[in-house]
Amino acid sequence: MKIIMLGAPGAGKGTQAAQIAEKFGIPHISTGDIFRANLKQGTPLGLKAKEYMDKGLLVPDDLTCDLVVDRIAQPDAANGYVLDGFPRTIPQAEALTKALDARGEKIDFAIDVEVPDENIVNRMGGRRACSKCGATYHIVFNPTKVEGVCDACGGELILRDDDKPETVQKRLGVYHDQTQPLIDYYMAAGVLREVDGTQEIGKVFEDITAILS
Ligand code: ADP
Ligand code: ADP
Ligand code: ZN
């Protein structure tokens, strides 16, 4: 099963994608996680991506598309994957469609997790990410068992640099301008499904599971 997660920054794409990946035994491919892992290792890609990420801007398509096209060609993605944070622009969606077409494949579902902007700003202030494995939590809505410590790996939790309120506002603007048009793109392709992302995490996952099953 090949799934795309759509939705604003902070809508809960990553949270849901991790659960989908586990339930269906497919890889969770997050471009944000890939960029952050590169930055941590100090690769040229990571350093370049950081220039954009810190400003709340999108990393240019030419640095992003090939990366994903290569990643989905890996053996562990042969039975499908859940893409989280890609595509984010129409050219990225077109590059993905082209790569899939070349292999006689298609996306099965594009799941749009809908959350209004007002809710997003609150959510991002409480988001905490594991500095080791990238797992995402929320201080109120999805807390760890021990404060500040990742349940999955014991790593230290941090507030992402780009989750500061000013940068979140900027990212929301970028989302409306560049990413929201993908909703129409995938609607036209007949694979768009919408879920109400303001519900609690478990309920959103139930709705997604119903769509996928
Ligand atoms: P969120 O889902 O909270 O917006 P991500 O981890 O998906 O965060 O992305 C963090 C940042 O990484 C984005 O603001 C952007 O700068 C960059 N990024 C991630 N995915 C893409 C992409 N597909 N195209 C361009 N930039 C991206
Ligand atoms: P995205 O990948 O779309 O940027 P995340 O999955 O990282 O979003 O979620 C953003 C923040 O909101 C995280 O702190 C997460 O724990 C929290 N969160 C995710 N889904 C919900 C939900 N349904 N209700 C409340 N908080 C949520
Ligand atoms: Zn961790």
Side-chain angles (χ1 to χ4, degrees):
M1 192 148 39
K2 301 182 189 65
I3 303 163
I4 290 174
M5 303 302 291
L6 295 176
K13 301 180 298 295
T15 302
Q16 298 298 329
Q19 295 192 39
I20 295 168
E22 199 187 327
K23 184 175 169 83
F24 293 93
I26 53 178
H28 169 194
I29 301 175
S30 155
T31 38
D33 286 351
I34 294 172
F35 291 137
R36 282 184 291 274
N38 270 275
L39 178 59
K40 212 167 145 187
Q41 289 161 20
T43 70
L45 172 68
L47 294 170
K48 192 79 204 150
K50 181 180 161 60
E51 290 175 25
Y52 299 91
M53 293 169 82
D54 282 352
K55 296 191 188 113
L57 300 172
L58 295 183
V59 178
D61 292 339
D62 58 344
L63 294 179
T64 309
C65 294
D66 292 351
L67 180 105
V68 175
V69 169
D70 289 348
R71 178 64 188 85
I72 62 177
Q74 298 297 310
D76 68 329
N79 291 322
Y81 39 79
V82 50
L83 286 178
D84 161 20
F86 182 94
R88 251 178 161 101
T89 64
I90 292 284
Q92 290 181 12
E94 287 170 342
L96 177 63
T97 302
K98 194 173 148 215
L100 290 171
D101 276 351
R103 296 151 39 142
E105 297 176 357
K106 68 184 275 293
I107 291 298
D108 298 298
F109 297 105
I111 298 178
D112 177 30
V113 183
E114 288 189 88
V115 176
D117 288 8
E118 307 85 87
N119 304 36
I120 296 288
V121 183
N122 291 335
R123 272 196 196 180
M124 297 300 235
R127 171 154 73 178
R128 296 292 179 275
C130 174
S131 56
K132 247 167 92 184
C133 77
T136 299
Y137 302 92
H138 191 281
I139 52 175
V140 178
F141 305 124
N142 187 19
T144 47
K145 293 192 183 77
V146 179
E147 199 186 315
V149 180
C150 177
D151 287 348
C153 79
E156 184 199 350
L157 300 192
I158 51 161
L159 174 66
R160 268 167 50 180
D161 283 343
D162 60 345
D163 279 350
K164 291 181 300 236
E166 321 81 89
T167 317
V168 170
Q169 285 297 351
K170 176 78 198 169
R171 288 161 63 202
L172 277 171
V174 168
Y175 167 75
H176 291 299
D177 288 348
Q178 301 192 58
T179 308
Q180 215 169 15
L182 295 180
I183 292 176
D184 287 340
Y185 181 94
Y186 286 106
M187 191 171 327
V191 296
L192 186 77
R193 303 288 186 278
E194 294 180 330
V195 295
D196 175 3
T198 64
Q199 308 173 96
E200 57 150 293
I201 294 173
K203 183 65 181 67
V204 179
F205 187 58
E206 267 177 34
D207 288 359
I208 292 176
T209 308
I211 290 167
L212 302 179
S213 306

